[in-house]
Amino acid sequence: MTIWETLARYAYFETDRLLLRPFSYEDREELHAILSNPFNTEYLRPSARNLAETTNLLVHTFMKSPLGIWAIEEKETGQMIGCIRFENIEEKKQEVEIGYFLRQSFWGQGLMTEALQTLAYLAIHHVGFQKVSIITHIENTASQRVAEKAGFQKVSQYKGSDRYSHRMREYLAFQLLARDKI
């Protein structure tokens, strides 16, 4: 089975409090509420200016090629509250990076840690990745805490160009290896 077949098999999965599922067109207003808040997008991209911009991003970034991208839905309310996704998939090296964001009103509840732990387990034990990485801006201490709580180890600090502003920034790299106990 290829990684793409496995990802298709796990297009939907659950944790105790969350449903991880493909994005749908109906998510555009909840996604806009997230992406138009500068606190939610500070380390991601410029805030969305309007619903049309968010809809374009939804369709072209999250829906066009949906495997390895999950909307995070809170089970209790059915509300779409964030996203977690595989980025920079290296099939031959069996390596992947995970990126994520969560609506500000849901911060501090352990929800992203719950989603990340489950996805990291899936990445290693079901998809077959040998190395799972997370890259954070050095100022993004909340994301770093999430990575550490999910079992990732800090492995390096480096300077690099931000993909949106193209400014040089400091980053921290975290990783989880298949040989680690998770």
Side-chain angles (χ1 to χ4, degrees), residues 158-170:
Y158 64 94
K159 287 185 180 191
S161 175
D162 183 273
R163 68 176 120 178
Y164 295 105
S165 70
H166 304 291
R167 291 184 340 194
M168 289 302 288
R169 300 194 62 171
E170 292 273 336

Side-chain angles (χ1 to χ4, degrees), residues 6-172:
T6 304
L7 289 175
R9 185 174 170 210
Y10 289 98
Y12 291 82
F13 65 94
E14 295 183 26
T15 69
D16 289 340
R17 298 179 289 169
L18 304 169
L19 170 64
L20 287 91
R21 58 165 177 79
F23 276 89
S24 72
Y25 192 75
E26 288 71 33
D27 290 323
R28 67 191 181 284
E29 290 184 10
E30 288 179 343
L31 183 61
H32 183 66
I34 296 168
L35 297 181
S36 62
N37 179 341
F39 291 107
N40 289 328
T41 62
E42 182 177 6
Y43 303 110
L44 294 173
R45 58 181 312 282
S47 296
R49 295 181 301 247
N50 53 52
L51 185 58
E53 185 179 320
T54 299
T55 301
N56 183 279
L57 181 74
L58 170 68
V59 170
H60 292 280
T61 303
F62 300 124
M63 293 180 69
K64 189 175 177 182
S65 298
L67 294 180
I69 302 171
W70 296 269
I72 301 171
E73 182 178 304
E74 185 189 38
K75 283 183 185 178
E76 187 177 311
T77 64
Q79 184 177 10
M80 194 281 293
I81 62 171
C83 172
I84 191 164
R85 69 187 202 155
F86 288 148
E87 300 176 341
N88 303 319
I89 295 172
E90 296 280 347
E91 261 184 281
K92 289 184 175 150
K93 292 182 177 181
Q94 297 178 308
E95 297 177 2
V96 69
E97 182 182 330
I98 295 178
Y100 46 86
F101 61 84
L102 188 67
R103 190 177 189 147
Q104 185 182 17
S105 57
F106 290 89
W107 293 356
Q109 299 176 36
L111 295 169
M112 189 53 74
T113 301
E114 186 175 312
L116 180 58
Q117 284 174 321
T118 303
L119 186 57
Y121 183 89
L122 179 113
I124 289 172
H125 294 284
H126 294 280
V127 183
F129 288 115
Q130 297 300 303
K131 178 179 165 185
V132 181
S133 301
I134 296 171
I135 307 298
T136 71
H137 290 89
I138 199 158
E139 307 91 354
N140 192 350
T141 57
S143 190
Q144 293 159 23
R145 280 194 307 275
V146 167
E148 289 170 338
K149 286 180 183 177
F152 286 74
Q153 302 296 313
K154 183 170 45 173
V155 293
S156 67
Q157 179 175 335
Y158 64 94
K159 287 185 180 191
S161 175
D162 183 273
R163 68 176 120 178
Y164 295 105
S165 70
H166 304 291
R167 291 184 340 194
M168 289 302 288
R169 300 194 62 171
E170 292 273 336
Y171 294 92
L172 288 177

